[in-house]
Amino acid sequence: MNQLVFFLGPAGAGKTTLAKAVALRRKAAVLDMDILLRPAADVILKLHGLDPDDRDSAEYKKLCRDLGYRITMDAALDNIGLDCDVYVVGPFTKEAANAGWIGSELARIGRNLDEVQVKVVLVSLNNAGLYRERIEGRHSPLDEWKFLNWETFRSSLASRTVAWPIPAEHILQIDNSNPDMRAAAEAVEGFIGR
């Protein structure tokens, strides 16, 4: 049975980088919500006369947020049953807080949590300064709002939990602060391999 593994956490935590590092060690498809949504979000925002580099404003969230999660989950669900794990990357803040969300998603393809092994890697850094440093290092125009509204963004960096009805041993909290990601990748690989 292939696994559906979520890499969740705030911007700058290194979710995508960590997921890709683990995917190099294991057979897995990596589905990053930011990458999957980008072409549609750019067009939608331009059609509404908004900044196509916006990824944080209320307007972006109203027009694009739910679409991004739908696109990402449709791609992930389409890969369930193949001979590889599926790694899904994104914040999934609202979704992770909803106990029924994962069951509803699996039901879309006629599956449930007894048939699909779901695991969650909660990726974080040990301080807000490191988030800022990592986000600055990306040099992405998509992050401008975060810097202009740092205190508001900083409030999103709090520790997270997952309300989904999955076993506690299927949730891993990982501190991804070390610039040498090998130890984190090995820990996640061991967790996924259990």
Side-chain angles (χ1 to χ4, degrees), residues 2-72:
N2 63 337
Q3 297 179 86
L4 180 57
V5 183
F6 289 84
F7 287 75
L8 309 183
K15 301 177 298 294
T16 303
T17 305
L18 183 58
K20 287 180 177 181
V22 177
L24 286 172
R25 301 161 170 262
R26 298 181 57 89
K27 195 173 182 182
V30 178
L31 304 174
D32 182 335
M33 188 192 73
D34 289 340
I35 299 297
L36 294 170
L37 177 60
R38 185 167 295 146
D42 289 351
V43 170
I44 291 167
L45 292 169
K46 285 178 186 174
L47 285 172
H48 284 85
L50 300 169
D51 180 1
D53 290 332
D54 174 19
R55 292 299 183 272
D56 294 288
S57 72
E59 293 88 358
Y60 167 80
K61 289 177 180 164
K62 178 182 170 191
L63 294 168
C64 300
R65 183 202 185 278
D66 291 344
L67 175 63
Y69 285 101
R70 181 73 275 133
I71 290 169
T72 304

Side-chain angles (χ1 to χ4, degrees), residues 171-185:
I171 301 171
L172 174 69
Q173 297 248 4
I174 190 108
D175 178 356
N176 198 26
S177 299
N178 191 330
D180 182 353
M181 197 171 289
R182 284 180 289 192

Side-chain angles (χ1 to χ4, degrees), residues 24-186:
L24 286 172
R25 301 161 170 262
R26 298 181 57 89
K27 195 173 182 182
V30 178
L31 304 174
D32 182 335
M33 188 192 73
D34 289 340
I35 299 297
L36 294 170
L37 177 60
R38 185 167 295 146
D42 289 351
V43 170
I44 291 167
L45 292 169
K46 285 178 186 174
L47 285 172
H48 284 85
L50 300 169
D51 180 1
D53 290 332
D54 174 19
R55 292 299 183 272
D56 294 288
S57 72
E59 293 88 358
Y60 167 80
K61 289 177 180 164
K62 178 182 170 191
L63 294 168
C64 300
R65 183 202 185 278
D66 291 344
L67 175 63
Y69 285 101
R70 181 73 275 133
I71 290 169
T72 304
M73 286 309 299
D74 282 353
L77 294 170
D78 191 53
N79 282 277
I80 296 297
L82 297 180
D83 188 26
C84 71
D85 291 340
V86 180
Y87 297 171
V88 178
V89 180
F92 285 81
T93 309
K94 183 170 64 172
E95 294 74 13
N98 178 346
W101 181 82
I102 190 64
S104 295
E105 286 297 311
L106 293 174
R108 293 172 63 90
I109 59 166
R111 300 285 186 92
N112 60 50
L113 285 166
D114 293 328
E115 300 168 310
V116 177
Q117 189 171 70
V118 174
K119 291 188 176 179
V120 176
V121 180
L122 293 170
V123 185
S124 62
L125 302 176
N126 62 21
N127 68 72
L130 188 51
Y131 281 101
R132 187 174 185 108
E133 183 182 309
R134 294 245 180 113
I135 294 168
E136 285 173 347
R138 299 192 306 201
H139 303 289
S140 173
L142 302 180
D143 292 324
E144 183 177 333
W145 182 94
K146 293 173 186 68
F147 297 121
L148 295 174
N149 301 276
W150 184 253
E151 288 308 310
T152 301
F153 171 73
R154 186 178 172 161
S155 69
S156 74
L157 304 178
S159 181
R160 299 191 40 204
T161 59
V162 176
W164 304 339
I166 60 176
E169 62 269 16
H170 286 190
I171 301 171
L172 174 69
Q173 297 248 4
I174 190 108
D175 178 356
N176 198 26
S177 299
N178 191 330
D180 182 353
M181 197 171 289
R182 284 180 289 192
E186 287 173 13

